[in-house]
Amino acid sequence: MTTLGSKNAAPASVSGWRSAQAKQVLLTLVGWSVALLIFFPIFWMMLTGFKTESAAIADPSLIFSPTLESYQAVQERSGYTRFALNSVAVAFGSTFLALLIAIPCAYAMAFLPTKRTKGTLLWMLSTKMLPSVGVLVPIYLIFRDTGLLDTRTGLIIIYTLMNLPIVVWMLYTFFKDMPKDILEAGRMDGASTLQEVFFLLLPLTLPGIASTGLLSVILSWNEAFWSLNLTTSKAAPLTAYIASFSSPEGLFWAKLSAASTMAIAPILILGWMTQKQMVRGLTFGAVK
């Protein structure tokens, strides 16, 4: 009876192992298919940047004679470096300002909650549901009267306000998952609120803060609506520079693709270099 039972158990275990392997292979194929589907537009844009204007319009094939003509034209066009510096200054400046405001705000909501805390968080998140065009006119008039039109300071302010709800929500989640016993031990040792934040809270939640900052940089770097409507030339970032390749004569597809590739390359490299930190931060506190 024991021998018969062991013989029946062996095929069952082999069948279960094969079923698990088949599911793993299937999930891997589905994951790669979705990734390729998402990445294909970026891949096509990169290829188009190595074509001539005539080939970009008339020849949609993957086999062609590559050329750097479009990239040379983009680099020779006046102001590219200035547009790139504006993007860097605005993206990192708005992220720094958003973190500076959001850290004490999230700290107060996570460790000193009131009856209005949840309502405030929901209200902040609801502001992201408002279409940007709905507040364009009043913001434009305010910026015009205060001299903030076409300035880096103006874009930093608007990008900070745009990303602040998401930054506060993410930091609130990270702070909420932190054990309160550590902070209470610091208070018993005589730590002030600032010491508690700088020497206990920030080091322990650094992965979450880093991932939040990276997300804010990406959102600011890719923002186009406000940069097109609140800037003209002095403070315009790369998103406005890319839009300048659209003219009444039509779209310059090859040059537009080359400029877009050069614009997204830094953020793609940054995301690739920090992907482990990003994943670690976004899953911070998910498993206890």
Side-chain angles (χ1 to χ4, degrees):
M1 293 295 292
T2 305
T3 304
L4 182 61
S6 61
K7 288 182 179 179
N8 292 333
S13 62
V14 172
S15 176
W17 178 80
R18 289 179 178 176
S19 177
Q21 290 292 319
K23 289 181 180 180
Q24 185 176 0
V25 171
L26 180 61
L27 289 175
T28 302
L29 291 175
V30 171
W32 275 103
S33 300
V34 173
L36 290 174
L37 183 63
I38 294 174
F39 183 73
F40 181 77
I42 300 176
F43 172 72
W44 188 261
M45 177 188 68
M46 292 179 177
L47 284 183
T48 306
F50 289 101
K51 295 181 179 181
T52 61
E53 288 295 342
S54 57
I57 298 174
D59 185 13
S61 65
L62 298 176
I63 301 175
F64 60 93
S65 299
T67 177
L68 296 176
E69 175 184 327
S70 298
Y71 285 93
Q72 292 174 351
V74 171
Q75 291 180 343
E76 292 173 357
R77 189 169 179 176
S78 61
Y80 175 80
T81 304
R82 176 169 50 82
F83 285 99
L85 291 176
N86 286 339
S87 288
V88 172
V90 171
F92 285 91
S94 62
T95 297
F96 175 78
L97 184 58
L99 289 175
L100 194 65
I101 299 173
I103 287 175
C105 179
Y107 170 84
M109 290 183 174
F111 300 110
L112 302 171
T114 64
K115 295 181 179 180
R116 299 181 180 180
T117 297
K118 291 185 178 180
T120 302
L121 286 169
L122 291 175
W123 171 78
M124 293 181 67
L125 192 62
S126 68
T127 59
K128 296 296 296 179
M129 303 176 189
L130 177 69
S132 300
V133 69
V135 293
L136 174 60
V137 173
I139 288 180
Y140 182 88
L141 294 177
I142 292 172
F143 273 44
R144 184 197 62 183
D145 296 339
T146 55
L148 292 175
L149 282 179
D150 200 18
T151 62
R152 290 180 180 178
T153 303
L155 280 186
I156 288 175
I157 292 174
I158 199 68
Y159 284 6
T160 299
L161 296 175
M162 176 188 70
N163 294 330
L164 194 59
I166 295 178
V167 174
V168 171
W169 258 96
M170 291 184 65
L171 292 181
Y172 169 79
T173 303
F174 298 141
F175 292 172
K176 195 71 175 177
D177 290 333
M178 180 180 172
K180 295 183 179 180
D181 296 341
I182 299 177
L183 298 183
E184 292 177 357
R187 295 192 195 105
M188 292 178 64
D189 290 337
S192 63
T193 302
L194 288 178
Q195 291 174 334
E196 182 181 320
V197 171
F198 282 101
F199 297 109
L200 293 176
L201 182 64
L202 296 187
L204 293 173
T205 57
L206 189 59
I209 296 173
S211 64
T212 303
L214 288 172
L215 181 62
S216 178
V217 169
I218 293 172
L219 292 175
S220 298
W221 189 278
N222 295 333
E223 174 60 33
F225 178 81
W226 292 110
S227 63
L228 292 175
N229 287 283
L230 299 179
T231 63
T232 53
S233 59
K234 292 181 180 180
L238 285 172
T239 48
Y241 178 76
I242 294 172
S244 66
F245 286 93
S246 175
S247 66
E249 291 79 13
L251 292 174
F252 297 94
W253 289 110
K255 295 182 181 62
L256 181 62
S257 298
S260 299
T261 301
M262 294 175 65
I264 68 172
I267 211 68
L268 284 178
I269 294 173
L270 178 65
W272 177 74
M273 293 176 62
T274 59
Q275 58 181 328
K276 291 184 179 180
Q277 290 79 4
M278 178 78 80
V279 173
R280 181 185 175 192
L282 292 176
T283 57
F284 184 80
V287 181
K288 301 194 179 202

